[in-house]
Amino acid sequence: MPVSASLRGPAAAVAYLLATARASGMRINRTKLAKLLYLADLDAVANGLSPGSGVEWRWRHDGPHSLRLAEVERDLSEAGVVQVEESADPFAGHRECAVHLIDAPQVVIDPEFAEIIDVVLAEYGRWSAGQLREFTYQTPPMQEAMKQDRHEARLDLAGGPPLPDLGSGLARLRVWAARNPLPDDEPGGVDDLVEESRQLAEHRADATRQLLGE
C-alpha cells in the first residue's frame, strides 16, 4: 500500500480515528481501537447509515471484534503509517499494544461517518480499554449474542439476533456448482425463442396501439 495513495475502506476509518485521537492527545491501543470503531458503527446504523468501518463484527473473547483489523494494522504498519508499541505490565501481568499514527495520509471517508467518529471519541476516547470492553458488552448486538450463547456469531448492529453465517452455505453451493456444470444450450432452443417472439410481434403492436388510444 503506497503511503502516497489515499486510503479507503477500513484503512481510512482506522487512520482517521487515530489521527483524530492523536490531535486530542488520546492514547489508543488495539482494544480501544476496535471498541471505538464498533461504537461508531453502532451510531451510524442507529442514524440510518451504513457501518462506516467496513469490517464485520463478531463476538469474540473480549466482546465485539473483527479479525480484519489485524490485516489493516499490518498493511498500515508496512506502509509506514502506524507503529505498534508493545509493552507489558509486570504488576498486572497483561500486555498492551498501543497503536501510534506516525504519518497522516489522505483518507477517503464518508463525512457523516467522520462526524460520528468525532462524537464517539469525544464521549468515549478517554475511557480505558477495560471500561470500553465492559460498555460494549452492554450494547444490544452483544446482549443478543450472549442471550443465545453464540460465540463467534456475526453481530447484527441493528440490535437483532446474530446474523446467519453464510460461509458454510456458500462453500456447499460452490461444491454443488462444480459437480453440476451448466448444460449446453439445447440445439434449436434459441431459434425457437426467436421464432416465437416474431410470431407475437403483431399482437404486441396491437396491444401497444390500444394502450395509446390509436
Side-chain angles (χ1 to χ4, degrees):
M1 179 196 304
V3 178
S4 59
S6 295
L7 301 180
R8 299 173 182 271
V14 168
Y16 182 85
L17 188 150
L18 291 174
T20 306
R22 183 177 69 176
S24 299
M26 298 175 183
R27 180 181 176 86
I28 302 295
N29 60 26
R30 283 174 178 165
T31 300
K32 287 187 64 171
L33 176 63
K35 302 306 179 269
L36 290 169
L37 273 181
Y38 167 76
L39 291 174
D41 275 350
L42 274 187
D43 280 4
V45 172
N47 284 281
L49 304 174
S50 298
S53 73
V55 303
E56 177 185 83
W57 298 103
R58 291 177 180 267
W59 174 20
R60 301 194 183 278
H61 67 282
D62 59 349
H65 189 66
S66 172
L67 295 180
R68 180 76 174 89
L69 293 178
E71 300 174 4
V72 172
E73 179 190 294
R74 183 193 63 234
D75 291 343
L76 292 178
S77 180
E78 292 176 353
V81 175
V82 303
Q83 181 178 24
V84 180
E85 175 189 355
E86 297 190 23
S87 60
D89 186 331
F91 301 102
H94 67 265
R95 297 171 57 198
E96 180 193 50
C97 294
V99 186
H100 302 288
L101 189 73
I102 57 179
D103 186 36
Q106 295 293 320
V107 298
V108 178
I109 185 171
D110 181 84
E112 291 181 292
F113 188 64
E115 290 181 10
I116 289 174
I117 289 179
D118 295 343
V119 171
V120 167
L121 277 171
E123 189 166 357
Y124 307 109
R126 300 191 185 281
W127 287 21
S128 70
Q131 288 174 319
L132 284 170
R133 183 188 304 112
E134 292 305 314
F135 180 67
T136 55
Y137 267 110
Q138 306 308 312
T139 58
M142 279 298 304
Q143 289 290 304
E144 285 291 335
M146 290 189 294
K147 186 188 303 181
Q148 299 188 23
D149 196 22
R150 295 276 303 280
H151 286 273
E152 297 293 326
R154 294 171 59 216
L155 301 179
D156 179 3
L157 299 187
L163 298 170
D165 201 330
L166 303 179
S168 59
L170 290 174
R172 290 195 297 271
L173 285 175
R174 291 191 182 100
V175 171
W176 183 91
R179 294 175 178 174
N180 299 272
L182 293 174
D184 295 332
D185 289 337
E186 180 183 348
V190 174
D191 294 337
D192 291 343
L193 288 174
V194 172
E195 176 60 23
E196 182 179 352
S197 178
R198 187 190 64 78
Q199 292 175 359
L200 295 175
E202 185 59 31
H203 296 292
R204 289 198 300 272
D206 288 340
T208 301
R209 283 191 291 269
Q210 291 180 21
L211 287 173
L212 295 177
E214 293 184 354

